[in-house]
Amino acid sequence: MRKQSDRNPRHGIVGEPAPELTVPTWFDAAGRPRPPVKLADRPGRPALLFCFQAWCPGCHIRGFPALAQLQRKLGDQADYYVIQTVFEGLAENTVARLLEEQRRYALGIPFGHDPGDRGRLPTTMRDYRTGGTPWFVAIDARGVVVADGFRLTIPDVVARLAPAGPAAPPDVSPTIAPGR
């Protein structure tokens, strides 16, 4: 694994408290509108955020399969949130496409639509300093970002989020590889 210092210093917030989510539009696991998700509503719970765009090939080739695998391995030990961070392709990365992807992957978790505002990047991208999509953010039970990036190893995320897992220092840049 690469060291934290090898990462782009403009991206990610490993080791920092997770900012509250300010995504304006959310849908529950069944695709029905729901109130906005707030991390503060689930204190003491690890969370995994997955940022995607409907038109992003990497999101479908690596991201969603890795999310499904993490969900199988962690089960109910963590909360999962999928956020469509629309920073380009506004005509393709719509709420309708988000709902289509939610049905396609049938993960049984909330999906949020973060389109940004007035030409600015989506709030999730600004707050978490994501570098694009697919982007994962692992938040431990204390509310600290313990891993983030385009690529995370599934064993590393499981170890960092599972309550029985060892406390790992935030000094690595993980790599997502489905099937690992």
Side-chain angles (χ1 to χ4, degrees):
M1 283 190 234
R2 295 178 303 168
K3 297 263 186 222
Q4 177 76 14
S5 60
D6 294 338
R7 299 180 70 197
N8 183 329
R10 297 175 303 160
H11 296 146
I13 60 169
V14 170
E16 296 180 25
E20 185 56 82
L21 296 174
T22 56
V23 177
T25 306
W26 283 92
F27 298 91
D28 69 12
R32 296 178 301 249
R34 60 154 288 154
V37 165
K38 299 292 180 197
L39 297 174
D41 292 343
R42 304 280 295 186
R45 296 267 308 157
L48 184 67
L49 310 180
F50 172 58
C51 300
F52 84 105
Q53 290 195 98
W55 75 343
C56 166
C59 294
H60 301 289
I61 293 167
R62 289 186 321 274
F64 277 108
L67 176 61
Q69 194 170 10
L70 283 162
Q71 192 180 27
R72 281 191 303 276
K73 290 187 178 291
L74 287 166
D76 64 1
Q77 295 179 67
D79 295 328
Y80 309 89
Y81 305 107
V82 176
I83 303 168
Q84 182 172 248
T85 52
V86 185
F87 59 95
E88 58 189 0
L90 300 173
E92 291 86 7
N93 293 297
T94 62
V95 168
R97 283 293 303 277
L98 173 146
L99 292 168
E100 194 176 299
E101 302 305 342
Q102 187 182 35
R103 283 189 299 276
R104 174 181 176 186
Y105 289 105
L107 296 168
I109 56 180
F111 275 53
H113 181 72
D114 191 357
D117 55 335
R118 297 185 204 105
R120 295 184 69 197
L121 287 175
T123 60
T124 306
M125 291 187 77
R126 292 191 316 255
D127 294 347
Y128 285 87
R129 293 199 320 250
T130 71
T133 58
W135 190 272
F136 286 86
V137 179
I139 303 165
D140 72 8
R142 299 169 300 143
V144 174
V145 174
V146 293
D148 63 9
F150 292 113
R151 303 180 201 312
L152 306 174
T153 63
I154 289 170
D156 184 50
V157 173
V158 169
R160 290 170 185 261
L161 294 186
D171 65 347
V172 294
S173 177
T175 335
I176 270 276
R180 292 186 112 190

